[in-house]
Amino acid sequence: DGGITQSPKYLFRKEGQNVTLSCEQNLNHDAMYWYRQDPGQGLRLIYYSQIVNDFQKGDIAEGYSVSREKKESFPLTVTSAQKNPTAFYLCASRTGKNSPLHFGNGTRLTVT
Amino acid sequence: SQQGEEDPQALSIQEGENATMNCSYKTSINNLQWYRQNSGRGLVHLILIRSNEREKHSGRLRVTLDTSKKSSSLLITASRAADTASYFCATGNDYKLSFGAGTTVTVRA
């Protein structure tokens, strides 16, 4: 089955540590996205990538980094510079700029 | 910045009733999309309406778009318990896609 896999589902880290969230898709989509969702709120765009080896900052990129070395993979690193990293992180992909997004089931990150 | 904003924030209806929610946005768009999110899960795409379309149907869903008012509405007819979820509109040009804060719909049995 084609889809987007985010792992792990739950992640716990101590403050001051960097952590990398995995996102893999086998949909052959060019574009990939990372969103952050806080309780009871909408999604905020962190980073997006239109094509391999290229990515752009979204609305809340500070304290995050990404890479896009392969079409299938778009990992997100939450660095120690992110002031409030505890949140639900969603990865998505789509074929092009006017097509629907396909989402993974998210990673819930808790930093204490 | 979140371009789309949904209204109301929350909606509680009886099973069988219709549910209507609205989305307003600020700048010109190529299309507007509606998504559903069940608690703790990823979003699922429901319907995409292009800027040159005024209305679109998919099963029990009806979406309208008024580009002159920069607004859209999503109507769910004959609601079921399984429709309990949060609903989001998404807008954007080019590759950047922004979401509103969503409308939480509760369907009571």
Side-chain angles (χ1 to χ4, degrees), chain B residues 66-84:
Chain B
D66 187 335
T67 53
S68 67
K69 295 181 180 177
K70 291 186 169 60
S71 69
S72 174
S73 68
L74 170 66
L75 168 69
I76 306 172
T77 60
S79 63
R80 305 166 181 170
D83 294 327
T84 293

Side-chain angles (χ1 to χ4, degrees), chain A residues 65-104:
Chain A
S65 67
V66 293
S67 63
R68 186 85 189 276
E69 296 175 2
K70 297 186 299 181
K71 188 175 187 177
E72 305 79 28
S73 180
F74 191 39
L76 173 74
T77 297
V78 184
T79 75
S80 56
Q82 169 50 232
K83 299 292 182 222
N84 187 17
T86 294
F88 187 48
Y89 290 87
L90 286 158
C91 179
S93 71
R94 60 177 175 172
T95 54
K97 61 183 178 181
N98 291 316
S99 57
L101 283 173
H102 295 252
F103 280 85

Side-chain angles (χ1 to χ4, degrees), chain A residues 31 33 35 37 41-45 48 50 59 88 90 94 97-101 103-105, chain B residues 1-2 30-31 33 35 37 40-43 45 48 50 88 94-101:
Chain A
Y33 298 75
Y35 289 91
Q37 187 176 32
Q41 305 210 5
L43 279 66
R44 291 186 288 167
L45 181 62
Y48 62 104
Q50 299 176 26
D59 300 315
F88 187 48
L90 286 158
R94 60 177 175 172
K97 61 183 178 181
N98 291 316
S99 57
L101 283 173
F103 280 85
N105 278 323
Chain B
S1 61
Q2 292 186 336
N30 292 332
N31 61 71
Q33 303 178 30
Y35 290 81
Q37 184 182 35
R41 308 279 291 181
L43 280 70
H45 178 257
L48 182 153
R50 303 187 196 287
F88 297 89
D94 201 28
Y95 279 88
K96 189 176 178 182
L97 195 63
S98 299
F99 287 78

Side-chain angles (χ1 to χ4, degrees), chain A residues 5-7 19-25 32-34 46-49 55 64-78 91:
Chain A
T5 301
Q6 289 188 245
S7 60
V19 59
T20 297
L21 281 60
S22 169
C23 177
E24 302 280 331
Q25 55 102 355
M32 296 188 74
Y33 298 75
W34 275 106
I46 304 172
Y47 269 98
Y48 62 104
S49 167
F55 49 83
Y64 300 97
S65 67
V66 293
S67 63
R68 186 85 189 276
E69 296 175 2
K70 297 186 299 181
K71 188 175 187 177
E72 305 79 28
S73 180
F74 191 39
L76 173 74
T77 297
V78 184
C91 179

